Amino acid sequence: MSGEIMPNVIGVLHARSEAVLPVVTRQTVNQIECFERALRAAGSPARFLPEVAVLPYDVADCFRTLRRVIAEHPQICINWTGGTKIMSYAARRLAEEMQLHALYVNTASREILFEDLGSQNRYTDLIDSARLNLNVLVYLSAGGHRVEGADTLASFRQRCTPDPALVRAATFILDTNSLERTDLYRLAEAENQSYRPRALDGNFLHALIQARLIQPAANSREYFLSPETLLHPFYLQSPQKQNAAFLRGTFIEVFLWDQIKSRSAVDDVAWHVVLNPGETGRIVELDLMMASDGRFLVLECKSSVELNELGDLIEEQYARTRQIGRLFGQWVLYVHRHRDEFNRPGAADIIRSQEQKARHYGGCLMWQDDLPELPIKVSEMLVSGVAAP
C-alpha cells in the first residue's frame, strides 16, 4: 500500500478476493481502515488478515518479509501496483520466482494486467466500473474521508438524492423572468412577515409549497418561508435559511443533479455531499459528485461571481478535487450566468483565458450558455479523463 489506495481497492474487487493481506509501512498502516471502508462501500465481503510491515526503502527487508508471507499463504495473488518502487520491485520479483499469480492496475489506461507466472499466461482486462460497483462512496472512503449520513451505500444514496418535489421546484425556478425572480427574493425574506407574490402563478406556488420552501399565511395569497425543509442543513443554518438560499440560488444544484441523472450516461450522481462532519478543519461541502468509468467528478455551482474571482475559484476547485480523490478526480466549475452579462472592457478575453486555465488545471469552466451541453460534457470527461473542449 502507498499514498493512493484505489489501485488496491480495484485489484481486490476485480479479482473477487476472499481475503486481503495488506503490506504496509509505518506511514501507510493508518490507511487500512480507509481501504476496508472503500471495499465495503463497493459491496466486497473480503476479510482482512493482520497487516505485514516492511521497511519501504530496504530491499533486503522487503524480500525477506514478503518471502515469509508468501510461504504462509501459497495461494496468494500479488498486487504489485502500490508501495515504494523497492516494495513493488520485490513483490513482482518474488511472484515470478515463486510462480504466483500477480496483477498490476494501470489507472491511466483503466486496465488491469493479470499474470499467471507459473504458466507464463498474461492478459489484460478493462476496469469495469459497473461490475466493480466503483461508486462515489468508494472513492471518498479510499481518499480517507467519512461522509455524513453514509453508514451504508444505501443510506448514502438516499441522503444524496434530492426529493422529487425539490427537483420540480428547481425546474420552475430556473425559467423565471425578472418579475418572478423579484417575487422569489421577496419570499426568501419572508421569515417574520408574510409576502404576497405578484407574478408567480398557482402552479408555481403549489410547487414551492410541495417542496416545503414556503407555506401559506393567514391572509389569502400571502406566504411565509417554511420552518421545515427538505434540504440538508448546512452547519449553523436554520431550515428557513436553507429554504431562502434555495430560492435565491442553490436550486441550481438540484436542477443540475436532475439534468445529469436524466440526460447523461452517468447513473451515480450524488447531491450535497458533506465530508468529515465534526472534524474541525476537514469539513467539506460538495454540491455534486459523480462516478463512472474508473473516475469521479466534482461539480461546484456558483450563482454569481466576479471575473476577478475566477482565477482563485479555479485553483480552489483543483486543490479541493486533488485533496478528495488525488489522481482519480476531475472537476467542473459551473457559473449560472451568461458570458455576455459581463460588460467590463476585455471581459471576453478574461473569460477565454480563465477557461484555458481551467483546462490546464485538469478541469472545465462552464456557463449558463453551456447548460444544454453540460450533461454530455460531464460524460465525456469521465470517459476520456480530460476536460471536454
Side-chain angles (χ1 to χ4, degrees), residues 154-327:
S155 63
F156 170 72
R157 286 183 166 157
Q158 181 179 11
R159 186 197 183 283
C160 294
T161 298
D163 189 282
L166 287 175
V167 174
R168 186 166 184 264
T171 304
F172 269 98
I173 296 171
L174 183 86
D175 294 326
T176 51
N177 57 40
S178 59
L179 292 176
E180 291 169 326
R181 282 194 295 275
T182 298
D183 274 348
L184 290 174
Y185 275 91
R186 294 288 179 84
L187 285 171
E189 298 170 348
E191 292 188 45
N192 302 312
Q193 183 174 348
S194 61
Y195 173 71
R196 181 191 295 269
R198 272 62 170 171
L200 302 181
D201 65 24
N203 289 331
F204 202 141
L205 291 167
H206 180 71
L208 299 182
I209 293 170
Q210 290 297 108
R212 299 187 197 171
L213 297 165
I214 62 173
Q215 66 177 20
N219 296 329
S220 176
R221 291 276 300 171
E222 292 189 6
Y223 301 88
F224 284 104
L225 273 175
S226 174
E228 301 178 358
T229 186
L230 294 176
L231 298 157
H232 299 305
F234 288 88
Y235 290 94
L236 304 179
Q237 280 197 344
S238 68
Q240 283 187 316
K241 293 294 185 185
Q242 286 288 89
N243 291 335
F246 189 91
L247 295 174
R248 293 188 182 107
T250 60
F251 71 89
I252 191 62
E253 302 167 19
V254 172
F255 179 82
L256 292 181
W257 177 91
D258 180 61
Q259 290 290 294
I260 294 168
K261 187 79 172 175
S262 61
R263 294 185 49 230
S264 76
V266 182
D267 183 59
D268 188 25
V269 187
W271 159 72
H272 191 184
V273 180
V274 179
L275 305 185
N276 312 312
E279 298 184 36
T280 304
R282 295 194 69 216
I283 299 173
V284 178
E285 292 177 338
L286 305 169
D287 294 342
L288 295 171
M289 286 194 69
M290 53 223 73
S292 182
D293 291 298
R295 298 184 176 90
F296 77 89
L297 186 145
V298 178
L299 193 154
E300 183 77 7
C301 307
K302 299 292 183 184
S303 57
S304 180
V305 298
E306 300 300 327
L307 290 183
N308 59 3
E309 299 174 327
L310 284 175
D312 289 343
L313 287 172
I314 288 168
E315 293 180 17
E316 177 185 326
Q317 191 69 2
Y318 165 74
R320 173 180 288 187
T321 304
R322 292 283 292 187
Q323 175 195 11
I324 293 167
R326 300 187 177 99
L327 302 178

Side-chain angles (χ1 to χ4, degrees), residues 27-212:
Q27 291 77 21
T28 63
V29 66
N30 61 350
Q31 293 181 316
I32 294 176
E33 182 184 358
C34 305
F35 189 3
E36 186 167 9
R37 283 195 285 111
L39 288 178
R40 300 295 173 258
S44 170
R47 71 185 190 279
F48 273 66
L49 303 177
E51 71 274 9
V52 173
V54 297
L55 300 175
Y57 302 105
D58 186 330
V59 67
D61 178 74
C62 288
F63 272 110
R64 182 170 55 252
T65 304
L66 294 178
R67 194 184 301 277
R68 173 177 56 80
V69 170
I70 292 168
E72 295 171 355
H73 303 277
Q75 300 301 314
I76 202 165
C77 175
I78 301 288
N79 182 347
W80 54 285
T81 313
T84 63
K85 289 182 173 62
I86 289 174
M87 292 167 65
S88 180
Y89 166 75
R92 176 59 178 77
R93 280 291 303 273
L94 286 173
E96 186 170 8
E97 175 187 317
M98 305 179 79
Q99 298 189 341
L100 301 171
H101 289 83
L103 64 88
Y104 185 89
V105 180
N106 187 338
T107 54
S109 63
R110 289 178 294 159
E111 292 180 326
I112 301 180
L113 169 66
F114 278 96
E115 300 176 287
D116 181 345
L117 295 165
S119 65
Q120 296 298 309
N121 181 33
R122 294 178 174 84
Y123 65 95
T124 58
D125 271 349
L126 286 176
I127 298 172
D128 186 336
S129 294
R131 185 176 74 82
L132 303 187
N133 195 18
L134 295 181
N135 55 75
V136 167
L137 188 57
V138 172
Y139 288 100
L140 293 174
S141 300
H145 303 284
R146 294 190 177 275
V147 184
E148 186 175 76
D151 296 330
T152 64
L153 178 59
S155 63
F156 170 72
R157 286 183 166 157
Q158 181 179 11
R159 186 197 183 283
C160 294
T161 298
D163 189 282
L166 287 175
V167 174
R168 186 166 184 264
T171 304
F172 269 98
I173 296 171
L174 183 86
D175 294 326
T176 51
N177 57 40
S178 59
L179 292 176
E180 291 169 326
R181 282 194 295 275
T182 298
D183 274 348
L184 290 174
Y185 275 91
R186 294 288 179 84
L187 285 171
E189 298 170 348
E191 292 188 45
N192 302 312
Q193 183 174 348
S194 61
Y195 173 71
R196 181 191 295 269
R198 272 62 170 171
L200 302 181
D201 65 24
N203 289 331
F204 202 141
L205 291 167
H206 180 71
L208 299 182
I209 293 170
Q210 290 297 108
R212 299 187 197 171

